[in-house]
Amino acid sequence: MTFSAGPTGLGTRSTRVQTRAGEQPVRPIPGIYYHQVAEPEPALVAEVDRRVKEWAVHEVDLYPPEWEDEFDAFGTGRSVCLGYPAAAGLEHLDAAAKLLVAENAVDDCYCEDHGGSPHGLGSRLLMAHSALERPYSVAPYEQQWQDRLQSEPPCRAYQSAMEAFDRLTADQIRNREIHDLARLHLGYLAEAAWSIDGAVPTVAEYLMIRQYNSFRPCLTIVDAVGGYVLPADLHDHPQLQRVFALAALATTLVNDLYSYTKELRSPRPHVNLPVAIRHHEGLSVEAAYFKAIEIHNDVMHRFEAEAAAAAAELPGPLTARFLRDVAAWVDGNHWWHATNTKRYTLPDFLPSE
Amino acid sequence: MTFSAGPTGLGTRSTRVQTRAGEQPVRPIPGIYYHQVAEPEPALVAEVDRRVKEWAVHEVDLYPPEWEDEFDAFGTGRSVCLGYPAAAGLEHLDAAAKLLVAENAVDDCYCEDHGGSPHGLGSRLLMAHSALERPYSVAPYEQQWQDRLQSEPPCRAYQSAMEAFDRLTADQIRNREIHDLARLHLGYLAEAAWSIDGAVPTVAEYLMIRQYNSFRPCLTIVDAVGGYVLPADLHDHPQLQRVFALAALATTLVNDLYSYTKELRSPRPHVNLPVAIRHHEGLSVEAAYFKAIEIHNDVMHRFEAEAAAAAAELPGPLTARFLRDVAAWVDGNHWWHATNTKRYTLPDFLPSE
């Protein structure tokens, strides 16, 4: 189910796409390095949205009615269709959508705006994490714990999403995803620690943490969503691990840059790359933001170089395919941000198009 | 390098060993389910101790002179020799010893007694975790982060130990161990959250968390230490994952029971299984402790039953060998606790032998 038109393969991405940009306003950050992608089929997007909403409302009972508009506005269907243009089928997109919705729910409910807080986050997040895999013990405690999980909407979502994902893919990919979600949770907890202390991490520390609190759990499942398996001995190769870390960082910095003004409006101070740079390097707001764009671009170039090196060092159809699909996720993620003009407004000091 | 004498294979453990109990006082908790194990060769223990201390002092500069007695008293060499009786060689035992020392250092320095604290633990632990795998970014920040890690003794230890481990084993085992250490760190952070709030988790929650904050990172590397590789598609099978979770829990409950009085003397209140039971089930101190012994025994019996089921469901030499080696770690861990009569004193209310 590929939506790209034109030549394919590494290096051709920027020439490949015909956007239906007329239907979707697009405002990329001036000077930022990105690739255009094809808009997904609207009917596909709508069907993914329909299915995941039905699941969220009727199977998981994820949110109260007053959050419905927020759920709809996020645009889960478009997000996963953009991210996985080579998805094997609707069920695959649906599983990816469920994971995304569940991840957002855990973040929103436990970490952020809807009653979340950095305080006590460690026990809430481990509770959520345990819904992804099954803890065991003895009666009656094991059932008591399952009952507890079932009483928490984000935990129900995690459990159900992981079950759907597990049905589609191999055990080792399920386990890999759980590891990437553990990384995510560790990243959340590091950020919560700063937040409690009011600390602003150094730029070096920030760039490290944003490989953990990142979109890595989305981009490393491209094989599962694509209907194939990149085996562990390739996935765990240091060269590929390097690629994933850089890709994860690049995608997260995109989020930092596009959501910069949104985060300024947040009730609790948010740390992001421009903020960390400004704090530690004494730059103006604008200069810090521009430097953050440069850093993002450098990370993207490094990611692409390392991906090319990996393809050369580990030649094989699966590696090439996986790397291509990761790059597609990175590009789709950027495009989603750049076209999400309702959700994200760019800083005033940027030159207008 | 096997130290057991007599019949081998599942089910023969209790008849297999000749202890040199005369050289090592042993006081198992009355009524607790365990298996005797053979004492390791003293010369081997001494050599592992010598190597790991040389590494800690001269390569990693792990601790100041005033902690030397504490380091020696822990008995790292005996601990790993007991846990890995089928180790492939000295280098394998040495790698396991380095990991154990590094894990203890992170716990001691960041979580516990030597300046550790639950406050701000999230960022300290992610810093330590990042020493296990390499974060990437761009100059100069990537090098700045490496410099930061090099300035922290527990991080140096984690990095060096993981490098030693990595040299010995396959990429997928290195990645598996990093996942198990991520579980450990999530467990620490959950416990820290209770600690800040003064909360006592329910028994069900406690039993869940103790599969995360557990000895799992020690017991799942038995293949690496044994010089073979249990491939990911077996390791990640749900039946084996169940076995590991139960084994991890059993080993941790052993630690709870033997260190109960030690934890009573700790400056900060410790939650352990007897404490959680007492708090939530209204039992006396003694009754809670006895119930905790029963729960441990039930978990052990379940672990052994699930291991036998796994051996039947996933027949094959690697699975059988791995399960046997995990059981040996569980037994060795218990024996280490039961013979560590200097470190652990049992509660007065237990019947004397």
Side-chain angles (χ1 to χ4, degrees), chain A residues 96-176:
Chain A
K98 286 172 174 168
L99 280 169
L100 177 60
V101 164
E103 286 153 23
N104 285 343
V106 166
D107 192 11
D108 288 345
C109 295
Y110 294 151
C111 305
E112 297 276 3
D113 313 310
H114 288 290
S117 158
H119 298 278
L121 186 59
S123 55
R124 289 198 298 282
L125 279 183
L126 188 55
M127 171 180 66
H129 192 86
S130 78
L132 297 167
E133 47 188 6
R134 201 179 170 86
Y136 293 91
S137 63
V138 291
Y141 305 110
E142 189 174 308
Q143 188 56 50
Q144 285 175 5
W145 188 246
Q146 289 303 316
D147 293 343
R148 174 90 172 92
L149 293 177
Q150 283 303 304
S151 74
E152 293 272 333
C155 297
R156 290 198 294 269
Y158 251 1
Q159 197 166 62
S160 175
M162 185 51 70
E163 281 165 4
F165 184 69
D166 187 42
R167 281 194 291 274
L168 276 185
T169 190
D171 289 335
Q172 52 182 289
I173 300 190
R174 182 196 68 245
N175 198 45
R176 177 212 295 167

Side-chain angles (χ1 to χ4, degrees), chain A residues 119-127 129-131 133-142 144-145 148 166 171-176 178-179 181-183 185-187 189-191 193-194 196-197 202-209 211-213 216 232-233 235-238 241-243 245-246 249 277 281 291 295 298-299 302, chain B residues 119-127 129-131 133-142 144-145 148 166 171-176 178-179 181-183 185-187 189-191 193-194 196-197 202-209 211-213 216 232-233 235-238 241-243 245-246 249 277 281 291 295 298-299 302:
Chain A
H119 298 278
L121 186 59
S123 55
R124 289 198 298 282
L125 279 183
L126 188 55
M127 171 180 66
H129 192 86
S130 78
E133 47 188 6
R134 201 179 170 86
Y136 293 91
S137 63
V138 291
Y141 305 110
E142 189 174 308
Q144 285 175 5
W145 188 246
R148 174 90 172 92
D166 187 42
D171 289 335
Q172 52 182 289
I173 300 190
R174 182 196 68 245
N175 198 45
R176 177 212 295 167
I178 293 172
H179 185 177
L181 289 164
R183 286 184 169 105
H185 299 150
L186 285 172
L189 287 161
E191 295 205 20
W194 303 329
I196 289 175
D197 292 340
T202 63
V203 177
E205 183 173 6
Y206 184 79
L207 291 171
M208 177 278 294
I209 290 186
Q211 288 163 68
Y212 287 90
N213 177 7
R216 186 170 170 146
D233 65 345
H235 173 271
D236 297 344
H237 190 283
Q241 291 286 308
R242 185 175 313 162
V243 172
L246 288 162
L249 179 57
I277 293 170
E281 299 187 14
K291 185 161 184 180
I295 290 174
D298 287 349
V299 172
R302 191 172 178 199
Chain B
H119 298 279
L121 185 58
S123 55
R124 288 198 299 282
L125 279 182
L126 187 56
M127 170 179 67
H129 191 86
S130 78
E133 46 189 5
R134 199 178 170 87
Y136 293 91
S137 63
V138 292
Y141 305 109
E142 189 175 306
Q144 286 176 4
W145 189 247
R148 174 91 171 91
D166 188 41
D171 289 335
Q172 53 181 288
I173 301 190
R174 182 195 67 245
N175 197 45
R176 176 214 295 168
I178 293 172
H179 185 177
L181 289 164
R183 286 184 168 106
H185 299 152
L186 284 173
L189 287 162
E191 296 204 21
W194 305 327
I196 289 175
D197 292 340
T202 63
V203 178
E205 184 174 6
Y206 185 79
L207 290 172
M208 178 279 293
I209 289 186
Q211 288 163 66
Y212 288 90
N213 177 6
R216 185 169 171 147
D233 65 344
H235 173 271
D236 297 342
H237 190 283
Q241 291 287 307
R242 184 177 312 165
V243 172
L246 288 162
L249 179 57
I277 293 171
E281 301 186 14
K291 183 161 185 179
I295 290 174
D298 287 348
V299 172
R302 190 172 179 198

Side-chain angles (χ1 to χ4, degrees), chain B residues 124-338:
Chain B
R124 288 198 299 282
L125 279 182
L126 187 56
M127 170 179 67
H129 191 86
S130 78
L132 297 167
E133 46 189 5
R134 199 178 170 87
Y136 293 91
S137 63
V138 292
Y141 305 109
E142 189 175 306
Q143 188 55 50
Q144 286 176 4
W145 189 247
Q146 288 303 315
D147 294 343
R148 174 91 171 91
L149 295 178
Q150 284 301 303
S151 75
E152 293 270 336
C155 298
R156 289 198 295 269
Y158 252 1
Q159 197 167 63
S160 175
M162 184 52 69
E163 281 165 6
F165 183 69
D166 188 41
R167 281 193 292 274
L168 275 186
T169 190
D171 289 335
Q172 53 181 288
I173 301 190
R174 182 195 67 245
N175 197 45
R176 176 214 295 168
E177 178 68 342
I178 293 172
H179 185 177
D180 281 336
L181 289 164
R183 286 184 168 106
L184 179 71
H185 299 152
L186 284 173
Y188 286 161
L189 287 162
E191 296 204 21
W194 305 327
S195 166
I196 289 175
D197 292 340
V200 179
T202 63
V203 178
E205 184 174 6
Y206 185 79
L207 290 172
M208 178 279 293
I209 289 186
R210 286 306 244 152
Q211 288 163 66
Y212 288 90
N213 177 6
S214 74
F215 296 115
R216 185 169 171 147
C218 302
L219 62 87
T220 61
I221 59 168
V222 290
D223 53 351
V225 181
Y228 65 100
V229 175
L230 183 76
D233 65 344
L234 283 176
H235 173 271
D236 297 342
H237 190 283
Q239 181 59 43
L240 282 183
Q241 291 287 307
R242 184 177 312 165
V243 172
F244 304 147
L246 288 162
L249 179 57
T251 61
T252 318
L253 296 186
V254 162
N255 184 261
D256 270 15
L257 290 164
Y258 282 90
S259 65
Y260 180 73
T261 62
K262 179 173 181 284
E263 288 183 356
L264 287 175
R265 295 192 297 272
S266 154
R268 266 199 309 274
H270 262 260
V271 178
N272 51 45
L273 184 57
V275 165
I277 293 171
R278 178 151 196 240
H279 188 95
H280 289 285
E281 301 186 14
L283 301 181
S284 68
V285 166
E286 295 86 345
Y289 189 89
F290 289 127
K291 183 161 185 179
I293 295 173
E294 278 178 42
I295 290 174
H296 162 269
N297 293 351
D298 287 348
V299 172
M300 271 298 291
H301 291 305
R302 190 172 179 198
F303 154 64
E304 291 183 345
E306 295 288 356
E313 186 174 335
L314 303 165
L318 285 179
T319 319
R321 186 175 177 188
F322 195 89
L323 289 168
R324 200 163 51 236
D325 290 341
V326 167
W329 200 93
V330 172
D331 293 345
N333 173 69
H334 197 136
W335 191 251
W336 182 84
H337 281 83

Side-chain angles (χ1 to χ4, degrees), chain A residues 7-340:
Chain A
T8 54
L10 285 169
T12 64
R13 228 164 292 109
S14 57
T15 63
R16 188 172 63 206
V17 249
Q18 302 304 321
T19 65
R20 293 197 185 134
E23 296 172 14
Q24 191 80 38
V26 52
R27 193 188 168 194
I29 291 167
I32 202 165
Y33 178 63
Y34 74 102
H35 302 287
Q36 280 190 313
V37 306
E39 284 296 328
E41 293 292 339
L44 186 69
V45 171
E47 180 60 13
V48 176
D49 271 329
R50 191 195 66 75
R51 290 184 179 210
V52 79
K53 187 169 181 179
E54 166 127 0
W55 166 81
V57 173
H58 296 294
E59 277 189 55
V60 172
D61 189 19
L62 182 58
Y63 56 80
E66 54 269 26
W67 298 5
E68 184 177 8
D69 288 347
E70 192 179 327
F71 182 89
D72 291 341
F74 184 84
T76 304
R78 186 157 179 277
S79 177
V80 298
C81 290
L82 278 172
Y84 306 101
L90 255 172
E91 278 187 272
H92 296 73
L93 286 166
D94 185 53
K98 286 172 174 168
L99 280 169
L100 177 60
V101 164
E103 286 153 23
N104 285 343
V106 166
D107 192 11
D108 288 345
C109 295
Y110 294 151
C111 305
E112 297 276 3
D113 313 310
H114 288 290
S117 158
H119 298 278
L121 186 59
S123 55
R124 289 198 298 282
L125 279 183
L126 188 55
M127 171 180 66
H129 192 86
S130 78
L132 297 167
E133 47 188 6
R134 201 179 170 86
Y136 293 91
S137 63
V138 291
Y141 305 110
E142 189 174 308
Q143 188 56 50
Q144 285 175 5
W145 188 246
Q146 289 303 316
D147 293 343
R148 174 90 172 92
L149 293 177
Q150 283 303 304
S151 74
E152 293 272 333
C155 297
R156 290 198 294 269
Y158 251 1
Q159 197 166 62
S160 175
M162 185 51 70
E163 281 165 4
F165 184 69
D166 187 42
R167 281 194 291 274
L168 276 185
T169 190
D171 289 335
Q172 52 182 289
I173 300 190
R174 182 196 68 245
N175 198 45
R176 177 212 295 167
E177 178 68 342
I178 293 172
H179 185 177
D180 281 334
L181 289 164
R183 286 184 169 105
L184 179 71
H185 299 150
L186 285 172
Y188 286 160
L189 287 161
E191 295 205 20
W194 303 329
S195 167
I196 289 175
D197 292 340
V200 179
T202 63
V203 177
E205 183 173 6
Y206 184 79
L207 291 171
M208 177 278 294
I209 290 186
R210 286 306 244 152
Q211 288 163 68
Y212 287 90
N213 177 7
S214 74
F215 296 114
R216 186 170 170 146
C218 302
L219 63 87
T220 61
I221 59 168
V222 291
D223 53 350
V225 182
Y228 63 101
V229 175
L230 184 75
D233 65 345
L234 283 175
H235 173 271
D236 297 344
H237 190 283
Q239 182 59 43
L240 282 183
Q241 291 286 308
R242 185 175 313 162
V243 172
F244 304 148
L246 288 162
L249 179 57
T251 60
T252 319
L253 296 185
V254 161
N255 184 262
D256 270 15
L257 289 164
Y258 283 89
S259 66
Y260 180 73
T261 61
K262 179 175 180 284
E263 289 185 352
L264 288 174
R265 295 192 296 272
S266 154
R268 268 199 309 273
H270 263 259
V271 178
N272 51 46
L273 184 57
V275 165
I277 293 170
R278 179 153 196 239
H279 188 96
H280 289 285
E281 299 187 14
L283 300 180
S284 68
V285 166
E286 294 88 346
Y289 190 89
F290 288 126
K291 185 161 184 180
I293 295 173
E294 277 179 43
I295 290 174
H296 161 269
N297 293 351
D298 287 349
V299 172
M300 272 297 292
H301 292 305
R302 191 172 178 199
F303 154 63
E304 291 184 343
E306 295 288 356
E313 185 173 334
L314 303 165
L318 285 179
T319 319
R321 187 175 177 188
F322 195 90
L323 289 168
R324 201 164 51 235
D325 289 341
V326 167
W329 200 93
V330 171
D331 293 343
N333 173 70
H334 197 136
W335 191 251
W336 183 84
H337 281 83
T339 52
N340 230 318

